[in-house]
């Protein structure tokens, strides 16, 4: 057959050529896998940031809710106080009316 420049049999040369092609394909695969890994790492970081943001928002919501509860408690306290004052004024007014009635009768 044709003289081999490497001194290897045609079968060995074909085998080497095949291995080199496979290596090139594997290299290309590796480049693609590294690119994908970089992408996934970036996506993972974005997800972590999103989760952190959501956690902060959740904390903020909880704090707002706690503040809301505190304000509601204070308002309920003020309402009770005002209602007591109102009832006290009502009693006082009723007392004054009775006094007026008695004075009117006395006149």
């Amino acid at each position: 057959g044709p003289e081999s420049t490497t001194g290897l049999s045609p079968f060995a040369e074909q085998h080497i050529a095949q291995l080199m092609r496979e290596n090139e394909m594997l290299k290309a695969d590796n480049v693609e896998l590294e690119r994908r890994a970089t992408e996934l790492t970036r996506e993972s970081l974005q997800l972590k940031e999103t989760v952190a943001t959501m956690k902060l928002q959740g904390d903020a919501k909880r704090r707002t809710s706690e503040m809301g509860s505190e304000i509601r408690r204070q308002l309920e306290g003020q309402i009770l106080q005002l209602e007591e004052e109102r009832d006290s004024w009502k009693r006082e007014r009723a007392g004054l009316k009775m006094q007026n009635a008695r004075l009117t009768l006395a006149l």
Side-chain angles (χ1 to χ4, degrees):
E3 191 56 37
S4 165
T5 53
T6 57
L8 297 168
S9 70
F11 174 77
E13 281 186 348
Q14 273 179 343
H15 193 59
I16 287 170
Q18 178 63 29
L19 287 172
M20 285 169 78
R21 273 197 302 277
E22 283 174 17
N23 277 346
E24 285 306 311
M25 281 164 59
L26 287 171
K27 248 189 259 179
D29 278 357
N30 278 347
V31 168
E32 178 58 26
L33 286 171
E34 275 177 25
R35 190 186 64 74
R36 187 74 189 113
T38 303
E39 235 174 66
L40 286 171
T41 303
R42 195 170 50 241
E43 283 172 22
S44 163
L45 284 172
Q46 283 173 346
L47 277 174
K48 278 184 191 158
E49 279 176 23
T50 303
V51 167
T53 302
M54 286 169 73
K55 190 182 177 308
L56 282 175
Q57 287 172 345
D59 290 350
K61 270 194 191 135
R62 195 164 52 251
R63 278 197 302 276
T64 302
S65 164
E66 285 167 5
M67 277 170 53
S69 297
E70 180 54 33
I71 289 170
R72 197 160 45 244
R73 273 194 298 276
Q74 288 176 4
L75 285 174
E76 283 167 358
Q78 285 179 339
I79 288 169
L80 281 174
Q81 220 178 328
L82 288 170
E83 284 175 346
E84 283 170 15
E85 275 180 40
R86 182 196 61 193
D87 292 347
S88 146
W89 285 117
K90 275 186 178 175
R91 281 193 300 275
E92 214 171 306
R93 192 184 66 188
L96 286 171
K97 272 188 175 175
M98 278 174 64
Q99 249 182 325
N100 280 347
R102 274 201 298 276
L103 284 171
T104 305
L105 283 173
L107 288 176

